[in-house]
Amino acid sequence: MAKIKRTSAPLNLIDVNDASNHQFKKLTALNNVFATETSLLTTEKLEKMAANAFCALAITPDIGMLIAFDENADYDSENFLHLKSIEKDFVYIDRVMVNKQNQGMGIGTGFYETLIEMAAEEGKAKLLCEVNIDPENEISIAFHEGMGFEAIGEKTLSNGKTVRYYSYEI
């Protein structure tokens, strides 16, 4: 299995919990551009998610964002609950996005490098995520498979989307 390689992309990451309300509004707008791939959020929901996250990173005002939860999180997403029922000792990547103008610059890779370092420091065994396959998210599939994530299953969700679950051993 390929391991994630360090990127030389300049990253000025912030902990989302240190973001101002104005930054949260911009990050909510960024999230909602990708609502088909993720889900719509309100600013209040994003603030709550960030407060409960294992890792919440962003490049503000609206460059990119990653939110991840560990297996102990109080989080009710259908995908998270499914993975929690079949996996142990993990960090679940709930959402990662980079605005279209900044894609391909290593920002997503930088988010993942930071998350892997944090997860390793906490003794987590793996990263887990899901990617839409119906409707298909070709960019995310290529990104995750290119990073060394391996498919571990598929599921049709209550909203009609079908996802593929991926795992990355730390």
Side-chain angles (χ1 to χ4, degrees):
M1 166 176 34
K3 285 292 182 185
I4 294 175
K5 295 180 176 55
R6 301 284 309 167
T7 181
S8 59
L11 295 177
N12 189 9
L13 297 176
I14 65 162
D15 181 327
V16 174
N17 288 313
D18 292 334
S20 68
N21 184 264
H22 175 73
Q23 289 169 320
F24 266 111
K25 288 179 181 175
K26 293 262 190 188
L27 291 170
T28 302
L30 173 66
N31 177 86
N32 292 342
V33 167
F34 294 95
T36 299
E37 296 84 2
T38 59
S39 60
L40 283 173
L41 289 179
T42 63
T43 300
E44 294 76 24
K45 174 75 173 175
L46 177 59
E47 289 173 335
K48 181 179 178 185
M49 289 172 67
N52 293 318
F54 172 83
C55 176
L57 300 170
I59 302 175
T60 59
D62 60 355
I63 304 295
M65 172 176 63
L66 175 142
I67 297 182
F69 300 93
D70 73 7
E71 73 277 5
N72 300 311
D74 180 19
Y75 187 52
D76 64 356
S77 119
E78 186 176 353
N79 288 307
F80 174 76
L81 293 173
H82 171 71
L83 290 169
K84 186 174 179 173
S85 74
I86 62 171
E87 296 283 347
K88 293 184 179 6
D89 198 26
F90 64 87
V91 174
Y92 166 70
I93 302 162
D94 181 71
R95 60 194 65 229
V96 59
M97 61 209 58
V98 175
N99 72 25
K100 296 204 185 290
Q101 302 90 311
N102 295 101
Q103 290 178 1
M105 298 174 57
I107 293 168
T109 301
F111 281 146
Y112 277 52
E113 290 171 349
T114 302
L115 179 60
I116 288 168
E117 288 174 13
M118 292 174 71
E121 287 174 8
E122 294 295 320
K124 303 297 182 186
K126 63 189 95 167
L127 300 182
L128 301 175
C129 67
E130 86 281 342
V131 176
N132 292 347
I133 57 172
D134 184 19
E136 188 173 46
N137 186 341
E138 294 176 25
I139 292 171
S140 187
I141 292 168
F143 174 80
H144 285 92
E145 290 179 356
M147 298 286 279
F149 280 74
E150 296 181 359
I152 59 169
E154 295 180 0
K155 183 177 182 197
T156 299
L157 305 175
S158 61
N159 64 8
K161 289 182 182 179
T162 301
V163 297
R164 180 174 299 137
Y165 295 105
Y166 284 94
S167 178
Y168 179 87
E169 300 296 321
I170 296 175

